[in-house]
Amino acid sequence: MPVKNAKTILTQSLQRLGYALLLPVSILPLAALLYRLGQPEVLDLAVLSLAGQALFGQMPLIYAVAIAFGLSRQGQGAQALAGAVNFLLLSSALTTLAPGLHADMICGLLAGLTTALVCSWARGLRLLAWLRPLQEDLPGMLLSTLVCLLLVIPLALLWPLLEEGISLLASHLLTTPFGAFCYGVLNRLLVPLGLHQVLGSLVGLGESNLQALASAQPLHEGYVAGLYPVIMFGLPGACFAIWLHRKRMQRLPQGGLLLTLALTSALVGITEPIEFLFAFTAPWLFLAHALLTGLSLAICSGLGIKLGSYFSAGLLDLVLSYSTGEHSFWLIPLGILFFVAYALLFSQLLEHAPLSLPSKPLAEELPRLATVAPTDPQMLAIQYLKVLGGMDNLQAMSVCLTRLSLRVRNMGLVDQGRLTALGSLSWIVLNDHQLVLVLGPNAGLVEGQIRMLAERQSVPLGIEPSKAPLSQSR
């Protein structure tokens, strides 16, 4: 039992870290766009290039702030400030003690993690009577600073060896077809757990990636080119296969929805709405997707196709990164082949084991088409609250791009049959109190509106669905 609890706590902690890493990762396309638009062959505006380079240069600081803030229990600004201060302290001390190390990024990650962990632990301390008038967050901030100072010496001794190992992994193993295949499969298999960002950030600590970041160049150049055929072509092919399958099964095809998901993946590189359609309800499809991703990375590695990525290997990334790659043109014909491969393979798999999307036959669904989801975000949030059993049934909530993770008092009060009518792409019930809704682009809007309604009604909502707020768990 203790081992199982430890594994659960570790998984949940890594998931929260993955969510916290989304903020700095999502800033990279903006930095790349500014840098690219300012180049002489585009708009020739030096101010834009300098702004983009400034963002790239401060990414370690942004990581420290984002992790400290993202792992805080209620999103405390003081904890984010402590993360920034601790990064500056740790980085400066390490540079003084061991100059020449490429350690800014690991300093950012460690400063953010240390601040979040120490501040969380310090809130449970019982202070002496003469210390109680101090601000609640001050003891945690001071203790986290002390811990960061203590980390300087072991980091100066161990980081050169760790950096060499990570650089060797990124420059030698992952650039081989077998290494690229393994990375591609693992990268996709970690998506349902929200841990793929953690994997990318760890591999990104190698010297080549740090140098690319400092010079505003695409990251992971030697081994992620194979993601472009999958994200820009393969997953849209999967959407096409699902659409054809639903038509053959005489169910509502949802062509507009699937087209939106395909374009989101192809243009921007956000794949979660598609992947969560079948990650839990049809794991064999997700396993095929992971293997095809590994195959694409292996083929690109074998053919010598090299192209990095700023964000998520969509068309925007391809346009921004194209000039820095090698043999980048071949990604287009390879992508067309993967579109066909995904469409054919998914069609065959769906014939033998249909995708269990929550939907009734077409004849039964047509009378319900008049009941469309409200376009007003506040009305949509109110409808979701009704479906979830009301505000009193909701205990905690967090959002991650396209997913809304929820904790409810009573799962029996959740009307799962009405989720599809409100625009939910799919949902997963994790246990008696937790469920995850895949809402697509509306996830952030719905979460914000529900929190606003909760504040108006003075209902405390936690941000950790894996744990109910103390005020509601009694």
Side-chain angles (χ1 to χ4, degrees):
M1 195 67 172
V3 175
K4 184 177 180 181
N5 289 339
K7 288 175 63 177
T8 302
I9 292 172
L10 178 61
T11 301
Q12 291 173 353
S13 300
L14 289 173
Q15 287 174 342
R16 290 183 61 204
L17 176 60
Y19 298 154
L21 289 171
L22 279 173
L23 177 60
V25 170
S26 63
I27 291 175
L28 287 173
L30 172 62
L33 189 60
L34 289 173
Y35 178 77
R36 185 64 184 150
L37 289 176
Q39 294 301 299
E41 65 272 18
V42 187
L43 297 181
D44 195 15
L45 292 174
V47 64
L48 293 181
S49 291
L50 291 175
Q53 279 189 315
L55 283 175
F56 278 113
Q58 297 302 321
M59 282 308 295
L61 175 60
I62 295 172
Y63 267 88
V65 173
I67 293 173
F69 182 78
L71 296 182
S72 62
R73 289 190 175 182
Q74 295 293 341
Q76 293 95 340
Q79 194 161 306
L81 175 62
V85 171
N86 288 338
F87 163 72
L88 295 174
L89 183 148
L90 184 58
S91 177
S92 300
L94 189 62
T95 302
T96 303
L97 188 62
L101 291 180
H102 302 89
D104 278 354
M105 188 60 76
I106 189 62
C107 285
L109 294 174
L110 283 178
L113 285 170
T114 302
T115 303
L117 293 174
V118 174
C119 288
S120 177
W121 172 77
R123 288 191 188 92
L125 295 178
R126 293 182 62 86
L127 300 178
L128 297 174
W130 58 278
L131 289 175
R132 286 174 189 168
L134 292 176
Q135 186 179 351
E136 179 186 1
D137 294 316
L138 189 58
M141 295 170 66
L142 295 176
L143 286 173
S144 65
T145 300
L146 178 60
V147 173
C148 283
L149 278 175
L150 295 176
L151 285 174
V152 172
I153 295 177
L155 188 59
L157 296 175
L158 297 176
W159 178 242
L161 297 176
L162 293 174
E163 183 188 28
E164 185 178 351
I166 295 173
S167 299
L168 183 66
L169 175 69
S171 61
H172 290 82
L173 180 59
L174 293 184
T175 52
T176 65
F178 177 74
F181 174 82
C182 293
Y183 178 83
V185 173
L186 185 59
N187 178 277
R188 291 298 96 184
L189 289 179
L190 291 176
V191 166
L193 301 175
L195 301 180
H196 56 299
Q197 298 291 356
V198 178
L199 175 66
S201 297
L202 288 176
V203 175
L205 292 173
E207 182 179 352
S208 60
N209 280 314
L210 296 177
Q211 290 176 347
L213 190 64
S215 58
Q217 297 301 308
L219 307 178
H220 315 293
E221 182 178 340
Y223 48 90
V224 299
L227 289 178
Y228 285 96
V230 171
I231 292 175
M232 290 179 57
F233 296 91
L235 286 175
C239 288
F240 180 66
I242 294 172
W243 177 74
L244 289 177
H245 170 72
R246 290 178 69 81
K247 287 196 70 174
R248 286 197 299 268
M249 296 291 291
Q250 290 296 303
R251 294 183 180 261
L252 192 64
Q254 297 180 335
L257 172 64
L258 290 169
L259 177 61
T260 301
L261 298 184
L263 290 176
T264 302
S265 175
L267 300 179
V268 189
I270 297 177
T271 62
E272 288 184 335
I274 301 176
E275 291 170 324
F276 272 78
L277 280 178
F278 49 79
F280 294 95
T281 58
W284 56 91
L285 291 180
F286 194 79
L287 179 60
H289 166 50
L291 292 174
L292 285 172
T293 302
L295 178 63
S296 178
L297 266 70
I299 292 175
C300 287
S301 177
L303 294 177
I305 302 174
K306 294 183 179 181
L307 185 65
S309 168
Y310 287 110
F311 178 55
S312 191
L315 180 61
L316 176 61
D317 248 339
L318 182 64
V319 172
L320 293 173
S321 309
Y322 187 86
S323 60
T324 65
E326 298 180 16
H327 311 296
S328 305
F329 170 78
W330 293 104
L331 291 173
I332 305 302
L334 185 62
I336 295 172
L337 291 177
F338 268 85
F339 179 92
V340 175
Y342 265 81
L344 292 177
L345 181 59
F346 271 53
S347 296
Q348 290 298 316
L349 290 174
L350 288 169
E351 288 295 328
H352 292 88
L355 177 64
S356 56
L357 285 176
S359 175
K360 295 180 180 179
L362 180 59
E364 298 178 33
E365 287 198 29
L366 285 175
R368 298 178 56 196
L369 291 181
T371 309
V372 296
T375 55
D376 179 63
Q378 189 171 27
M379 288 302 299
L380 183 60
I382 292 172
Q383 292 298 321
Y384 269 109
L385 277 175
K386 291 180 179 178
V387 169
L388 294 171
M391 188 70 77
D392 292 337
N393 194 42
L394 190 59
Q395 291 186 304
M397 175 175 58
S398 68
V399 66
C400 177
L401 284 183
T402 59
R403 306 194 306 275
L404 195 62
S405 301
L406 303 160
R407 181 180 179 87
V408 296
R409 289 179 181 274
N410 185 355
M411 190 64 70
L413 297 179
V414 179
D415 187 359
Q416 299 183 36
R418 292 176 56 196
L419 287 171
T420 305
L422 291 178
S424 180
L425 305 179
S426 66
W427 61 90
I428 306 101
V429 177
L430 301 178
N431 52 45
D432 292 339
H433 297 284
Q434 288 179 255
L435 75 157
V436 178
L437 306 182
V438 183
L439 306 184
N442 286 331
L445 289 174
V446 171
E447 191 262 355
Q449 291 296 324
I450 290 178
R451 286 202 179 276
M452 185 179 68
L453 294 171
E455 289 176 3
R456 289 179 181 176
Q457 300 178 31
S458 299
V459 176
L461 281 183
I463 60 173
E464 297 182 49
S466 59
K467 184 179 180 181
L470 294 176
S471 59
Q472 295 190 28
S473 59
R474 295 172 182 171

